[in-house]
Amino acid sequence: MVERPISKNTSARPGRVLHRNIGLAFFRIGMLGFGGGPSSIPLVHQEVVKKYEWMTDDEFGDTLALANTLPGPIATKMAGYVGYRVAGLWGCLNALLSSIIPTVVLMIVFLGLLQTYKDVPWVENMAASVVPVVAVMLALLTWEFIKKSGQTLGWMRALLLLALSAILIEAFNIHPAFVILGCFLVAFSSLLKRRKKA
Amino acid sequence: MIYWQIFLAFFIPGILGYGGGPASIPLVEHEVVGKYEWMSTQEFSEVVAIGNSLPGPIATKMAGYIGYAEAGVLGSIVAMIATVAPSLILMIGMMVILMKYKEEPEVKSLTKLIRPVIAVLLGFMTIRFAQQSVEGVGISYTLLIMGVSFILLEKVKLHPAFVIALALLFGAITGL
């Protein structure tokens, strides 16, 4: 597997174009993520890795792992971090505001309307029809990660690890954060050994 | 001091809500309905229902709306900051450290090890969304939309935005 160089646009002094792109990317992510935070994960991947190439697949995976480990809403953590990474503090604010503000404004407007029109079946159905699309997007993303695992770890080890984490997370109901922390421990154990020798 | 109360009401769910936005809904209810009595359970469930049918992260939408309802625009901003800031600061700090040691063999092997875990998490998320879809629009519509969107996304390489827009349109038409 060929490692791609570090993503573009990581300059210390981003231009106006970059900020416009961050704003647009996260506006789209915010407005299209039906079904809460997790549904925006494939959209973030689409914008950040595929379209703008601000991150590599690996970096996206690491970001997602860490975002999953920490408390709080996942979509905003991803947005804030990606924005920060691409364009510092202003980038962080830009990504956050672009993904949150439009939806909050919609929320305030809609709840106002709700008092007038109590229940609108076709609106509910609209949102519900997006859920299967999100499922397919997540499935495709899942497959990408499985394929990559196989390529980097070898299929035997990859399948073993996949099975192991599936059992831990679903069967034993161990919080994913602990599984990810376990990965940290395994990965850094060699570092501790080296430290001890030194 | 209403702003302080709003801050606390959303700061606590923000740092305790493991598992993303939806995980913090009951925590927010505990504060908003139980502790501060800003809303009745009925009102709160309406907020959740609308929040669920609009796009974007649910936790921030709820915070933004409830903050606005209690104390106007400033209340809205305070609630959103309280929801987002604590976990985001942690996230950025940790990622900066991780990126600093990117080239170390330990970090490289960490990335490799984490990948299958992420695949599993995404896989289960997929299953949950599929289940939710069956509950929402029924099994036949679910399979139909899934099949069509798979072809559009994977074979036609259509941008997800268009696929989502099509699904919205489809949902609006079949829901009339």
Side-chain angles (χ1 to χ4, degrees), chain A residues 163-179:
Chain A
L164 186 68
S165 39
I167 290 165
L168 287 175
I169 292 168
E170 280 301 299
F172 288 107
N173 268 331
I174 292 177
H175 194 281
F178 291 116
V179 180

Side-chain angles (χ1 to χ4, degrees), chain B residues 5-113:
Chain B
Q5 284 185 344
I6 289 177
F7 181 84
L8 280 183
F10 289 99
F11 176 79
I12 295 163
I15 52 170
L16 294 177
Y18 277 95
S24 60
I25 293 174
L27 299 168
V28 172
E29 181 175 28
H30 179 83
E31 302 288 326
V32 171
V33 179
K35 192 169 168 189
Y36 296 108
E37 295 177 359
W38 290 327
M39 281 182 177
S40 66
T41 309
Q42 174 62 33
E43 282 171 322
F44 186 81
S45 69
E46 273 173 19
V47 172
V48 174
I50 292 284
N52 265 327
S53 52
L54 290 174
I58 179 103
T60 44
K61 265 183 305 196
M62 282 182 2
Y65 174 75
I66 296 169
Y68 176 80
E70 285 314 305
V73 174
L74 191 57
S76 178
I77 293 167
V78 169
M80 283 190 280
I81 290 174
T83 307
V84 173
S87 59
L88 183 61
I89 291 165
L90 266 179
M91 170 99 190
I92 291 176
M94 286 172 90
M95 279 309 278
V96 166
I97 293 167
L98 206 61
M99 286 294 147
K100 214 161 148 182
Y101 299 106
K102 230 173 90 92
E103 293 311 310
E104 298 289 313
E106 283 81 14
V107 175
K108 279 220 159 84
S109 69
L110 176 70
T111 303
K112 274 188 206 165
L113 283 173

Side-chain angles (χ1 to χ4, degrees), chain A residues 149-164:
Chain A
S149 299
Q151 286 164 346
T152 52
L153 293 160
W155 281 104
M156 277 304 290
R157 281 170 75 199
L159 290 174
L160 195 70
L161 280 172
L162 284 167
L164 186 68

Side-chain angles (χ1 to χ4, degrees), chain A residues 31 33 58 62 71-72 125 152 170, chain B residues 17 55-56 87 102 111 115 124 171:
Chain A
M31 293 302 280
D58 287 355
D62 288 349
N125 208 53
T152 52
E170 280 301 299
Chain B
S87 59
K102 230 173 90 92
T111 303
R115 219 175 268 142
F124 285 122

